[in-house]
Amino acid sequence: MISIKNISKYYGPVKVLSDCSVEVAKGDVMVVCGPSGSGKSTLIKCVNGLEPFQQGSIEVNQISVGDRNTNLSKLRRSVGMVFQGFELFPHMSVVDNLCLAQRKVLKRSVSEARDRAMQLLKRVAMDAHAQKFPNQLSGGQQQRVAIARALAMDPTVMLFDEPTSALDPEMVGEVLDVMVSLAKDGMTMMVVTHEMGFAKQVANWVVFMDAGQVVEKSSTEQFFRQPSSARARDFVASISRH
Ligand SMILES: Nc1ncnc2c1ncn2[C@@H]1O[C@H](COP(=O)(O)OP(=O)(O)OP(=O)(O)O)[C@@H](O)[C@H]1O
Ligand SMILES: [Mg+2]
């Protein structure tokens, strides 16, 4: 479903991704981890064309992301993305946040968009808050709304970039619960996170990045039992000490 082949990316003269290759099949849950600055966010942004890359190729559902003839806004419709900050529209109610792109991009009718919005808000246990504005919600609630908003476009793949790292600890669980339930329903997911409990519970694959390279891609079981690289081993040890 996502095929990243030998991509390299530069910011000016600085090479930040170096010959990275990763394949994500339908229904896979892939966790991407690694030290700060290793290129995780950059890699995931390349997947939906938010960042250009200079070498290699990326295909999502057989559509080439780097090809200049590709309609990127069309491609992004099938690729949901949830970031660390929730990025809801502050001047719109929760339900309107979910309806906007459904109306504008998918051309759904008002009632269709509202029905789908309420169905998804229920799914993330936010239906009781549909009329509130984002600043009236906790961080965990906002992030659950952001996930529902991405799902409203009926994506075939969901990308997450550290969706819980800006949250107070007591709110991390409620967001992870939503992600676990998505994974269990068979959503294809690529998730940058340091939540190793989440990785152990639902990921099939773990990718470890360091200094712009994919150092390791292992089954989750293999990664935690015996990572093949010393750098991944040290990383797992350092984050599980806390
Ligand atoms: N817009 C930018 N311009 C120049 N350099 C950038 C830009 N964005 C990121 N970089 C650099 O690219 C490298 C990879 O950054 P990236 O944000 O992908 O790392 P990361 O693995 O997501 O780190 P973190 O865990 O801190 O989020 C870093 O060296 C960073 O300084
Ligand atoms: Mg990052």
Side-chain angles (χ1 to χ4, degrees):
M1 197 155 246
I2 302 175
S3 173
I4 302 173
K5 289 206 176 108
N6 309 103
I7 73 154
S8 294
K9 174 176 176 66
Y10 298 78
Y11 279 119
V14 184
K15 197 173 195 180
V16 291
L17 291 177
S18 183
D19 203 23
C20 294
S21 295
V22 173
E23 301 276 328
V24 185
K26 190 168 175 357
D28 272 353
V29 177
M30 178 173 287
V31 159
V32 179
C33 62
S36 182
S38 57
K40 308 178 296 294
S41 297
T42 306
L43 182 71
I44 210 160
K45 281 188 211 149
C46 287
V47 172
N48 66 352
L50 287 177
E51 283 290 350
F53 48 92
Q54 286 77 33
Q55 281 150 27
S57 68
I58 300 181
E59 287 186 3
V60 179
N61 298 322
Q62 273 108 49
I63 298 170
S64 171
V65 179
D67 187 332
R68 78 176 67 176
N69 296 319
T70 297
N71 180 339
L72 276 183
S73 47
K74 190 166 168 208
L75 177 96
R76 286 192 198 117
R77 266 178 239 168
S78 63
V79 183
M81 174 122 198
V82 176
F83 297 92
Q84 181 177 16
F86 326 116
E87 287 160 37
L88 298 172
F89 305 115
H91 59 292
M92 289 179 133
S93 68
V94 163
V95 66
D96 288 343
N97 261 278
L98 267 73
C99 288
L100 183 70
Q102 292 191 74
R103 299 266 299 125
K104 288 230 145 87
V105 181
L106 300 182
K107 310 286 182 209
R108 287 182 181 154
S109 70
V110 173
S111 67
E112 250 182 320
R114 288 213 145 227
D115 287 352
R116 182 77 177 127
M118 289 312 297
Q119 191 187 7
L120 288 166
L121 287 173
K122 199 163 181 170
R123 167 155 201 193
V124 300
M126 285 299 293
D127 45 324
H129 302 274
Q131 303 307 329
K132 288 190 178 168
F133 286 83
N135 66 3
Q136 296 173 302
L137 303 175
S138 72
Q141 291 173 330
Q142 290 184 54
Q143 194 59 303
R144 277 145 58 202
V145 172
I147 293 172
R149 187 176 62 175
L151 292 174
M153 303 306 283
D154 298 327
T156 54
V157 180
M158 286 283 285
L159 308 176
F160 293 86
D161 190 0
E162 303 208 39
T164 59
S165 59
L167 300 175
D168 289 338
E170 68 268 28
M171 289 163 197
V172 170
E174 65 193 44
V175 172
L176 290 177
D177 285 347
V178 167
M179 293 171 62
V180 168
S181 94
L182 263 186
K184 290 195 168 155
D185 284 351
M187 177 61 81
T188 308
M189 295 162 69
M190 191 167 173
V191 185
V192 177
T193 186
H194 292 157
E195 294 290 341
M196 291 298 135
F198 172 82
K200 283 181 188 162
Q201 198 181 345
V202 294
N204 325 88
W205 301 101
V206 179
V207 161
F208 176 74
M209 293 185 68
D210 194 14
Q213 289 179 311
V214 172
V215 174
E216 172 156 358
K217 179 189 164 185
S218 305
S219 71
T220 306
E221 196 261 338
Q222 160 89 30
F223 185 80
F224 288 107
R225 191 166 38 88
Q226 197 174 38
S228 54
S229 68
R231 279 184 284 179
R233 221 164 16 241
D234 292 347
F235 179 77
V236 171
S238 76
I239 56 175
S240 41
R241 265 204 301 276
H242 302 293

Coordinates of all heavy atoms in Angstrom, one line a residue, residues 82-154:
V82 N -2.3 12.6 11.2 CA -2.5 13.2 12.5 C -1.1 13.5 13.1 O -0.2 12.7 13.2 CB -3.2 12.2 13.4 CG1 -3.4 12.8 14.8 CG2 -4.6 11.9 12.8
F83 N -1.0 14.8 13.4 CA 0.3 15.3 14.0 C 0.3 15.4 15.5 O -0.7 15.2 16.1 CB 0.6 16.7 13.4 CG 0.8 16.8 11.9 CD1 -0.3 17.0 11.1 CD2 2.0 16.6 11.3 CE1 -0.2 17.1 9.7 CE2 2.2 16.7 10.0 CZ 1.1 16.9 9.2
Q84 N 1.4 15.8 16.0 CA 1.6 16.0 17.4 C 0.6 17.1 17.9 O -0.1 16.9 18.9 CB 3.0 16.4 17.7 CG 3.4 16.7 19.1 CD 4.9 17.0 19.2 OE1 5.5 17.3 18.2 NE2 5.4 16.9 20.4
G85 N 0.6 18.3 17.3 CA -0.3 19.3 17.6 C -1.6 19.0 16.9 O -1.6 18.3 15.9
F86 N -2.8 19.4 17.4 CA -4.0 18.8 17.0 C -4.5 19.5 15.7 O -5.2 19.0 14.9 CB -5.0 18.8 18.1 CG -4.4 18.6 19.4 CD1 -4.4 19.6 20.4 CD2 -3.7 17.4 19.7 CE1 -3.7 19.4 21.6 CE2 -3.0 17.2 20.8 CZ -3.0 18.2 21.8
E87 N -4.2 20.8 15.6 CA -4.4 21.6 14.4 C -5.9 21.5 13.9 O -6.2 21.4 12.8 CB -3.5 21.1 13.2 CG -2.1 21.6 13.5 CD -1.0 20.9 12.8 OE1 -1.2 20.5 11.7 OE2 0.1 20.8 13.4
L88 N -6.8 21.6 14.9 CA -8.2 21.8 14.6 C -8.4 23.3 14.2 O -7.7 24.1 14.6 CB -9.1 21.4 15.8 CG -8.9 19.9 16.2 CD1 -9.7 19.7 17.5 CD2 -9.4 19.0 15.1
F89 N -9.5 23.6 13.5 CA -9.8 24.9 13.2 C -10.5 25.6 14.4 O -11.5 25.1 14.9 CB -10.8 25.0 12.0 CG -10.3 24.3 10.8 CD1 -10.9 23.2 10.3 CD2 -9.1 24.8 10.2 CE1 -10.4 22.6 9.1 CE2 -8.6 24.1 9.0 CZ -9.3 23.0 8.5
P90 N -9.8 26.6 15.0 CA -10.2 27.1 16.4 C -11.6 27.8 16.4 O -12.3 27.8 17.4 CB -9.1 28.1 16.8 CG -8.4 28.4 15.5 CD -8.6 27.3 14.5
H91 N -12.0 28.3 15.2 CA -13.2 29.1 15.1 C -14.4 28.2 14.7 O -15.5 28.8 14.4 CB -13.0 30.2 14.1 CG -12.7 29.7 12.7 ND1 -11.5 29.1 12.5 CD2 -13.4 29.6 11.6 CE1 -11.4 28.7 11.2 NE2 -12.6 29.0 10.6
M92 N -14.2 26.9 14.7 CA -15.3 26.0 14.3 C -15.6 25.0 15.4 O -14.7 24.5 16.0 CB -14.9 25.3 13.0 CG -14.8 26.1 11.8 SD -14.3 25.0 10.5 CE -15.4 25.4 9.3
S93 N -16.9 24.7 15.5 CA -17.2 23.6 16.5 C -16.6 22.3 16.0 O -16.2 22.1 14.9 CB -18.8 23.5 16.5 OG -19.2 22.9 15.3
V94 N -16.6 21.4 17.0 CA -16.1 20.0 16.7 C -16.7 19.4 15.5 O -16.1 19.0 14.6 CB -16.3 19.2 18.0 CG1 -16.1 17.7 17.6 CG2 -15.3 19.6 19.1
V95 N -18.1 19.4 15.5 CA -18.7 18.8 14.3 C -18.5 19.5 13.0 O -18.2 18.9 12.0 CB -20.3 18.6 14.6 CG1 -21.0 20.0 14.7 CG2 -20.9 17.7 13.6
D96 N -18.3 20.8 13.1 CA -18.0 21.6 11.8 C -16.6 21.3 11.4 O -16.3 21.2 10.2 CB -18.2 23.1 12.0 CG -19.7 23.4 12.1 OD1 -20.6 22.6 11.7 OD2 -20.0 24.5 12.6
N97 N -15.7 21.1 12.3 CA -14.3 20.7 12.0 C -14.4 19.4 11.1 O -13.6 19.2 10.2 CB -13.5 20.4 13.2 CG -12.6 21.6 13.6 OD1 -11.5 21.7 13.0 ND2 -13.1 22.4 14.5
L98 N -15.3 18.5 11.5 CA -15.3 17.2 10.8 C -16.1 17.3 9.4 O -15.9 16.5 8.5 CB -16.0 16.1 11.6 CG -15.1 15.2 12.4 CD1 -14.5 16.0 13.6 CD2 -15.8 14.0 12.9
C99 N -16.9 18.3 9.3 CA -17.8 18.4 8.1 C -17.0 19.2 7.0 O -17.3 18.9 5.8 CB -19.1 19.1 8.4 SG -20.2 18.1 9.4
L100 N -16.2 20.1 7.3 CA -15.6 21.0 6.3 C -15.1 20.3 5.1 O -15.5 20.6 3.9 CB -14.6 21.9 6.9 CG -14.0 23.0 6.0 CD1 -15.0 24.0 5.7 CD2 -12.7 23.6 6.6
A101 N -14.1 19.5 5.3 CA -13.5 18.8 4.1 C -14.4 17.8 3.4 O -14.4 17.6 2.2 CB -12.2 18.2 4.5
Q102 N -15.3 17.2 4.2 CA -16.3 16.3 3.6 C -17.1 17.1 2.6 O -17.5 16.6 1.5 CB -17.2 15.7 4.6 CG -16.6 14.8 5.6 CD -17.7 14.1 6.4 OE1 -18.4 13.3 5.9 NE2 -17.8 14.5 7.7
R103 N -17.5 18.3 3.0 CA -18.4 19.2 2.1 C -17.6 19.7 0.9 O -18.0 19.5 -0.2 CB -18.9 20.3 2.9 CG -19.8 19.9 4.1 CD -21.3 19.9 3.7 NE -21.8 21.2 3.3 CZ -22.5 21.3 2.1 NH1 -22.6 20.3 1.3 NH2 -22.9 22.5 1.8
K104 N -16.4 20.3 1.2 CA -15.6 21.0 0.2 C -14.9 20.0 -0.8 O -14.9 20.2 -2.0 CB -14.5 21.8 0.8 CG -15.1 23.1 1.5 CD -14.3 24.3 1.1 CE -15.2 25.5 1.0 NZ -15.5 26.3 2.1
V105 N -14.3 19.0 -0.2 CA -13.5 18.1 -1.1 C -14.3 16.9 -1.6 O -14.3 16.6 -2.8 CB -12.3 17.6 -0.3 CG1 -11.4 16.7 -1.1 CG2 -11.5 18.8 0.3
L106 N -15.1 16.2 -0.7 CA -15.8 15.1 -1.1 C -17.2 15.4 -1.6 O -17.9 14.6 -2.1 CB -15.9 14.1 0.0 CG -14.6 13.5 0.6 CD1 -14.9 12.5 1.7 CD2 -13.8 12.9 -0.5
K107 N -17.6 16.7 -1.5 CA -18.9 17.2 -2.0 C -20.1 16.5 -1.4 O -21.1 16.3 -2.0 CB -19.0 17.1 -3.5 CG -17.8 17.7 -4.3 CD -17.8 19.2 -4.3 CE -16.6 19.8 -5.0 NZ -16.2 21.1 -4.5
R108 N -19.9 16.1 -0.1 CA -21.1 15.4 0.5 C -22.1 16.5 0.9 O -21.8 17.6 1.2 CB -20.6 14.7 1.8 CG -19.8 13.4 1.5 CD -19.4 12.7 2.7 NE -18.7 11.5 2.3 CZ -17.7 10.9 3.1 NH1 -17.5 11.3 4.3 NH2 -17.1 9.8 2.6
S109 N -23.3 16.1 1.0 CA -24.4 17.0 1.4 C -24.3 17.3 2.9 O -23.6 16.6 3.6 CB -25.8 16.3 1.1 OG -26.0 15.3 2.1
V110 N -24.9 18.3 3.3 CA -24.9 18.7 4.7 C -25.3 17.5 5.6 O -24.6 17.2 6.6 CB -25.8 19.9 5.0 CG1 -25.9 20.2 6.5 CG2 -25.3 21.2 4.3
S111 N -26.4 16.9 5.3 CA -26.8 15.8 6.2 C -25.9 14.6 6.1 O -25.6 14.0 7.1 CB -28.3 15.5 5.9 OG -28.4 14.8 4.6
E112 N -25.4 14.3 4.9 CA -24.5 13.2 4.8 C -23.2 13.4 5.7 O -22.7 12.6 6.4 CB -24.0 13.1 3.4 CG -24.5 11.9 2.6 CD -23.9 12.0 1.2 OE1 -23.8 13.1 0.6 OE2 -23.5 11.0 0.7
A113 N -22.7 14.7 5.5 CA -21.4 15.0 6.2 C -21.7 15.0 7.8 O -20.9 14.5 8.5 CB -21.0 16.4 5.8
R114 N -22.8 15.5 8.2 CA -23.1 15.5 9.6 C -23.3 14.1 10.2 O -22.8 13.8 11.3 CB -24.4 16.3 9.9 CG -24.3 17.7 9.7 CD -25.2 18.5 10.6 NE -24.4 19.7 11.0 CZ -24.3 20.2 12.2 NH1 -24.9 19.6 13.2 NH2 -23.6 21.2 12.5
D115 N -24.0 13.2 9.4 CA -24.2 11.9 9.9 C -22.9 11.1 10.0 O -22.6 10.5 11.0 CB -25.1 11.1 8.8 CG -26.5 11.5 8.9 OD1 -26.9 12.3 9.8 OD2 -27.3 11.1 8.0
R116 N -22.0 11.3 9.0 CA -20.7 10.7 9.1 C -19.9 11.2 10.3 O -19.2 10.5 11.0 CB -20.0 10.9 7.8 CG -18.6 10.2 7.7 CD -18.7 8.7 7.4 NE -17.4 8.1 7.3 CZ -17.0 7.0 8.0 NH1 -17.9 6.5 8.9 NH2 -15.8 6.5 7.8
A117 N -20.0 12.6 10.4 CA -19.2 13.2 11.5 C -19.7 12.7 12.9 O -18.9 12.3 13.7 CB -19.4 14.7 11.5
M118 N -21.0 12.6 13.1 CA -21.5 12.1 14.4 C -21.1 10.6 14.6 O -20.8 10.2 15.7 CB -23.0 12.3 14.5 CG -23.4 13.8 14.6 SD -22.5 14.8 15.8 CE -23.0 13.9 17.3
Q119 N -21.2 9.9 13.5 CA -20.8 8.4 13.6 C -19.3 8.3 14.1 O -19.0 7.5 15.0 CB -21.0 7.9 12.2 CG -20.9 6.4 12.1 CD -20.9 6.1 10.5 OE1 -20.9 6.9 9.7 NE2 -21.0 4.8 10.3
L120 N -18.5 9.2 13.5 CA -17.0 9.1 13.9 C -16.8 9.7 15.2 O -15.9 9.2 16.0 CB -16.2 9.8 12.8 CG -16.1 9.0 11.5 CD1 -15.6 9.9 10.4 CD2 -15.3 7.7 11.7
L121 N -17.5 10.7 15.6 CA -17.3 11.3 16.9 C -17.7 10.3 18.0 O -17.1 10.2 19.1 CB -18.1 12.6 17.1 CG -17.5 13.8 16.3 CD1 -18.5 15.0 16.4 CD2 -16.2 14.1 16.9
K122 N -18.8 9.5 17.7 CA -19.2 8.4 18.6 C -18.1 7.4 18.7 O -17.7 6.9 19.8 CB -20.4 7.8 18.0 CG -21.2 7.0 19.1 CD -22.6 6.8 18.6 CE -23.2 6.0 19.7 NZ -24.6 5.9 19.6
R123 N -17.5 7.1 17.6 CA -16.4 6.1 17.6 C -15.2 6.5 18.5 O -14.6 5.7 19.1 CB -15.9 5.9 16.2 CG -14.7 5.2 16.1 CD -14.5 4.5 14.8 NE -13.6 3.5 15.0 CZ -12.9 2.8 14.1 NH1 -13.3 3.0 12.8 NH2 -12.0 1.9 14.4
V124 N -14.9 7.8 18.6 CA -13.8 8.3 19.4 C -14.4 8.8 20.8 O -13.6 9.5 21.5 CB -12.9 9.3 18.7 CG1 -12.3 8.7 17.5 CG2 -13.7 10.6 18.4
A125 N -15.6 8.5 21.1 CA -16.3 8.9 22.3 C -16.3 10.4 22.5 O -16.0 10.9 23.6 CB -15.6 8.1 23.5
M126 N -16.5 11.1 21.5 CA -16.6 12.6 21.5 C -17.9 13.1 21.1 O -18.1 14.4 20.9 CB -15.4 13.2 20.7 CG -14.1 13.1 21.4 SD -14.0 13.9 23.0 CE -14.1 15.6 22.4
D127 N -18.9 12.3 20.9 CA -20.2 12.7 20.3 C -20.9 13.7 21.3 O -21.6 14.6 20.8 CB -21.1 11.6 20.0 CG -21.2 10.5 21.0 OD1 -20.1 10.2 21.6 OD2 -22.3 9.9 21.2
A128 N -20.7 13.6 22.6 CA -21.3 14.5 23.5 C -20.7 15.9 23.5 O -21.3 16.8 24.0 CB -21.1 13.9 24.9
H129 N -19.6 16.0 22.8 CA -18.9 17.3 22.7 C -19.0 18.0 21.3 O -18.2 18.9 21.0 CB -17.4 17.1 23.0 CG -17.2 16.5 24.4 ND1 -17.1 17.3 25.6 CD2 -17.0 15.2 24.8 CE1 -16.9 16.5 26.6 NE2 -16.8 15.2 26.1
A130 N -19.9 17.5 20.5 CA -19.9 17.9 19.1 C -20.1 19.4 18.9 O -19.5 20.0 17.9 CB -21.1 17.2 18.4
Q131 N -20.8 20.1 19.8 CA -21.0 21.5 19.6 C -20.0 22.4 20.3 O -20.0 23.6 20.1 CB -22.4 21.9 20.2 CG -23.6 21.1 19.6 CD -23.6 21.2 18.0 OE1 -23.2 22.2 17.4 NE2 -24.1 20.1 17.4
K132 N -19.0 21.8 21.0 CA -18.0 22.6 21.6 C -17.0 23.1 20.6 O -16.9 22.6 19.5 CB -17.3 21.8 22.7 CG -18.1 21.5 23.9 CD -17.3 20.9 25.0 CE -18.1 20.7 26.3 NZ -17.4 19.9 27.2
F133 N -16.2 24.1 21.1 CA -15.1 24.6 20.3 C -13.8 24.0 20.8 O -13.7 23.6 21.9 CB -15.0 26.1 20.3 CG -16.1 26.7 19.5 CD1 -17.4 26.9 20.0 CD2 -15.8 27.1 18.2 CE1 -18.4 27.4 19.2 CE2 -16.8 27.7 17.4 CZ -18.1 27.8 17.9
P134 N -12.7 23.9 19.9 CA -11.5 23.2 20.3 C -10.9 23.6 21.7 O -10.5 22.8 22.5 CB -10.6 23.4 19.2 CG -11.5 23.5 18.0 CD -12.7 24.2 18.5
N135 N -11.0 25.0 21.9 CA -10.4 25.5 23.2 C -11.2 25.1 24.4 O -10.7 25.4 25.5 CB -10.1 27.0 23.1 CG -11.4 27.8 23.0 OD1 -12.5 27.3 23.1 ND2 -11.2 29.1 22.9
Q136 N -12.3 24.5 24.2 CA -13.1 24.0 25.4 C -12.8 22.5 25.7 O -13.5 21.9 26.5 CB -14.6 24.2 25.1 CG -15.0 25.6 24.9 CD -16.4 25.8 24.5 OE1 -16.8 25.3 23.5 NE2 -17.2 26.5 25.3
L137 N -11.8 22.0 25.0 CA -11.5 20.5 25.1 C -10.1 20.3 25.7 O -9.2 21.2 25.5 CB -11.6 19.8 23.8 CG -12.9 19.9 23.0 CD1 -12.7 19.3 21.6 CD2 -14.1 19.3 23.7
S138 N -9.9 19.2 26.3 CA -8.6 18.8 26.8 C -7.8 18.4 25.6 O -8.3 18.1 24.5 CB -8.7 17.6 27.7 OG -9.0 16.5 27.0
G139 N -6.4 18.3 25.8 CA -5.6 17.9 24.7 C -5.9 16.5 24.1 O -5.9 16.3 22.9
G140 N -6.2 15.6 25.0 CA -6.6 14.2 24.6 C -7.9 14.2 23.8 O -8.0 13.5 22.8
Q141 N -8.8 15.1 24.2 CA -10.1 15.2 23.5 C -9.9 15.8 22.1 O -10.4 15.3 21.1 CB -11.1 16.0 24.3 CG -11.6 15.3 25.5 CD -12.4 16.2 26.4 OE1 -12.3 17.4 26.4 NE2 -13.3 15.6 27.2
Q142 N -9.0 16.8 22.1 CA -8.7 17.4 20.8 C -8.1 16.5 19.8 O -8.4 16.4 18.6 CB -7.8 18.7 20.9 CG -8.5 19.8 21.6 CD -7.6 21.0 21.7 OE1 -7.1 21.5 20.7 NE2 -7.4 21.6 22.9
Q143 N -7.2 15.7 20.3 CA -6.5 14.7 19.5 C -7.5 13.6 19.0 O -7.4 13.2 17.8 CB -5.3 14.1 20.2 CG -4.3 13.4 19.3 CD -3.7 14.2 18.2 OE1 -4.4 14.8 17.4 NE2 -2.4 14.3 18.2
R144 N -8.4 13.2 19.8 CA -9.4 12.3 19.3 C -10.3 12.9 18.2 O -10.6 12.2 17.3 CB -10.2 11.8 20.5 CG -9.5 10.6 21.3 CD -9.8 10.7 22.8 NE -11.2 10.6 23.1 CZ -11.8 11.0 24.2 NH1 -11.0 11.5 25.2 NH2 -13.0 10.8 24.5
V145 N -10.6 14.1 18.4 CA -11.3 14.8 17.3 C -10.5 14.9 16.0 O -11.0 14.7 14.9 CB -11.8 16.2 17.8 CG1 -12.4 17.0 16.6 CG2 -12.8 16.2 18.9
A146 N -9.2 15.2 16.2 CA -8.3 15.3 15.0 C -8.3 13.9 14.3 O -8.3 13.9 13.1 CB -6.9 15.7 15.4
I147 N -8.3 12.8 15.0 CA -8.3 11.5 14.4 C -9.6 11.3 13.7 O -9.6 10.8 12.5 CB -8.0 10.4 15.5 CG1 -6.6 10.5 16.0 CG2 -8.3 9.0 14.9 CD1 -6.3 9.6 17.2
A148 N -10.7 11.6 14.3 CA -12.0 11.5 13.7 C -12.1 12.3 12.4 O -12.7 11.9 11.4 CB -13.1 11.9 14.7
R149 N -11.5 13.5 12.5 CA -11.6 14.4 11.3 C -10.8 13.8 10.1 O -11.3 13.8 9.0 CB -11.0 15.8 11.6 CG -11.2 16.8 10.5 CD -10.7 18.1 10.8 NE -9.2 18.2 11.1 CZ -8.5 19.3 11.3 NH1 -9.2 20.4 11.3 NH2 -7.3 19.2 11.6
A150 N -9.7 13.2 10.4 CA -8.9 12.5 9.4 C -9.7 11.3 8.8 O -9.8 11.1 7.6 CB -7.6 12.0 9.9
L151 N -10.4 10.6 9.7 CA -11.2 9.4 9.3 C -12.4 9.8 8.4 O -12.9 9.0 7.6 CB -11.7 8.6 10.5 CG -10.6 7.9 11.3 CD1 -11.2 7.3 12.6 CD2 -9.9 6.8 10.5
A152 N -12.9 11.0 8.6 CA -14.0 11.5 7.8 C -13.8 11.5 6.3 O -14.8 11.5 5.6 CB -14.5 12.9 8.3
M153 N -12.6 11.5 5.9 CA -12.3 11.5 4.5 C -12.2 10.0 3.9 O -11.8 9.8 2.8 CB -10.9 12.2 4.2 CG -10.9 13.6 4.7 SD -12.2 14.6 4.1 CE -11.6 14.9 2.4
D154 N -12.5 9.0 4.8 CA -12.4 7.6 4.4 C -11.1 7.2 3.8 O -11.0 6.7 2.7 CB -13.5 7.3 3.4 CG -14.9 7.5 4.0 OD1 -15.1 7.3 5.2 OD2 -15.8 7.8 3.2

